[in-house]
Amino acid sequence: MDQEKTQEEYQRLKTLFKDVDDVKTQLVDGLLLKAAFLKVQLDEFEVIIRKNGAIQFSNKGNARETPVYQTFLKTLSVYQGSIKTLGIVMGKNAISEDDEFDEFLKNVSR
């Protein structure tokens, strides 16, 4: 696992929540680091899956998901839960100004 990539992702995540109350940021700092680790791990799994595929075939022609793909899916689920939790905890105090995407959604729903 590349520690430098994990640290870069950790800093990126912290930047996303830079306007959040410091107490909340300190509360979930460990989760931010774990989420960064999981993201880097997912990226590495994805490289392997793109190279080797997600399905392997036995000599008898039976198909099954590769162990790397199964691990990718489990890790993705944990990562998504972590990001959702971070969004819930950190999002309540984030600046709620509309960005371009929010404006787009407003126009689409009209």
Side-chain angles (χ1 to χ4, degrees), residues 2-3 12-14 19-20 23 34-35 47 50 57 60-61 64-65 73 85 88 96 101:
D2 188 343
Q3 186 66 26
R12 186 187 76 81
L13 288 172
K14 283 185 72 163
D19 297 323
V20 175
V23 174
K34 298 296 185 203
V47 169
R50 287 182 186 277
F57 297 92
K60 297 178 182 180
R64 69 179 183 105
E65 295 175 341
L73 293 176
T85 300
I88 290 169
S96 61
F101 185 69

Side-chain angles (χ1 to χ4, degrees), residues 19-110:
D19 297 323
V20 175
D21 178 49
D22 286 339
V23 174
K24 287 184 179 183
T25 303
Q26 290 174 13
L27 177 68
V28 296
D29 190 64
L31 185 57
L32 283 168
L33 189 56
K34 298 296 185 203
F37 173 82
L38 291 170
K39 171 69 167 76
V40 172
Q41 198 166 28
L42 284 166
D43 290 345
E44 291 178 3
F45 289 149
E46 188 173 349
V47 169
I48 295 167
I49 293 165
R50 287 182 186 277
K51 180 180 176 185
N52 300 325
I55 306 296
Q56 64 185 183
F57 297 92
S58 70
N59 293 339
K60 297 178 182 180
N62 297 328
R64 69 179 183 105
E65 295 175 341
T66 63
V68 171
Y69 186 64
Q70 291 172 350
T71 304
F72 172 83
L73 293 176
K74 289 176 186 175
T75 305
L76 180 60
S77 179
V78 172
Y79 175 74
Q80 288 171 329
S82 298
I83 293 300
K84 182 178 180 180
T85 300
L86 286 168
I88 290 169
V89 171
M90 305 286 271
K92 292 183 187 223
N93 203 22
I95 294 174
S96 61
E97 296 175 10
D98 290 346
D99 61 11
E100 291 178 25
F101 185 69
D102 292 324
E103 290 299 322
F104 171 78
L105 290 177
K106 286 179 186 176
N107 291 330
V108 169
S109 62
R110 289 182 187 170

